[in-house]
Amino acid sequence: MAWHDGTVTAPLTPPHQPGPHDPWQAPPSGSHLAPSPGAPDDPDTATELRQAAVVAALVAVSGIALGLLWVWLAPRVPLVSDDTAVFLKNSEGEEAIGADGTFVLLAIGFGVLSAALVFWRLRRGGVLVVVGLALGALLASLIAWRVGIWLGPSSDVVGRAREAGQGVTFDAPLELHTVWVAVLAWPFAAMGIHLLLTAAFGPRDVEPDWAYYQGPVQGPLAGPGSGGSPSSPAGGAGPG
């Protein structure tokens, strides 16, 4: 619609307000801007907190298994005593480094396994689930370290030397020389594997339908072939 007095023609709709049939005013019917908040695949915060707590607890408990395997597989450091002191039986041995390496390798393996299981069960879990995985892995490493020391050879070296007697070989206590490197191996491995699995097989966001909508162009944006002219608004008469 337009108004004209015989000399001047002007549209009734102000230029800064779109008309009722402007295709850019709203997306077409049936389109949506975002997924519905109540989708069953998107857990709420309370559900995600419960999932994170369960993940952290289960992963932390699995640290007992790591501690048992460490006691079983870690190489022993042989010691021998005389009347005055306790010495390494083999001063050039690498058993002490081997204990640290065994713990790190086992922790990395447990990190890969725990991350794969969490991703398989809770593929749509959010940030809280990942935080629960990291905290559980850290607690699991600390538990494994303490379990290994508790179940391994006694830390009372002097008492064991007296029990063994002079010149008799006995095992040194099981310990970690690089504690934080070994303890952080499980959390870093779990976070890295979970990130890779999410990037490769995680759910993808679906783009809304209105992003591909191309409506007709009207008004000043019309091209040469649109059938209109900026100087002749639709429905109006030219200058009289």
Side-chain angles (χ1 to χ4, degrees):
M1 297 179 62
W3 169 85
H4 65 91
D5 60 353
T7 58
V8 178
T9 301
L12 294 179
T13 303
H16 61 279
Q17 296 182 0
H21 302 290
D22 190 353
W24 303 102
Q25 176 68 15
S29 60
S31 63
H32 56 277
L33 297 179
S36 58
D41 292 336
D42 297 331
D44 55 8
T45 303
T47 303
E48 195 172 338
L49 280 173
R50 288 193 298 268
Q51 293 175 349
V54 171
V55 168
L58 293 178
V59 174
V61 170
S62 63
I64 299 175
L66 173 58
L68 295 175
L69 287 175
W70 184 42
V71 174
W72 180 34
L73 298 176
R76 298 292 187 263
V77 179
L79 300 177
V80 64
S81 66
D82 55 12
D83 293 335
T84 59
V86 178
F87 304 93
L88 289 171
K89 185 176 182 180
N90 184 8
S91 60
E92 297 181 357
E94 299 179 354
E95 292 84 0
I97 300 176
D100 287 38
T102 302
F103 188 95
V104 171
L105 291 177
L106 289 173
I108 292 175
F110 273 79
V112 173
L113 180 61
S114 60
L117 290 176
V118 169
F119 179 79
W120 174 59
R121 294 293 298 175
L122 303 172
R123 180 171 300 187
R124 290 188 175 274
V127 177
L128 294 179
V129 174
V130 179
V131 172
L133 173 62
L135 292 178
L138 180 59
L139 291 175
S141 296
L142 294 174
I143 292 173
W145 174 39
R146 302 312 302 175
V147 167
I149 292 177
W150 178 47
L151 297 180
S154 174
S155 58
D156 185 6
V157 177
V158 176
R160 296 199 61 198
R162 291 175 179 174
E163 293 177 0
Q166 181 179 357
V168 178
T169 302
F170 61 96
D171 295 332
L174 188 62
E175 58 183 356
L176 291 175
H177 297 85
T178 55
V179 176
W180 287 111
V181 174
V183 167
L184 292 177
W186 188 337
F188 274 94
M191 296 292 289
I193 295 300
H194 193 278
L195 179 62
L196 291 177
L197 291 175
T198 303
F201 306 105
R204 299 291 188 268
D205 294 334
V206 180
E207 297 187 5
D209 297 337
W210 63 268
Y212 301 99
Y213 175 74
Q214 295 180 356
V217 180
Q218 298 179 358
L221 298 178
S226 61
S229 173
S231 59
S232 299

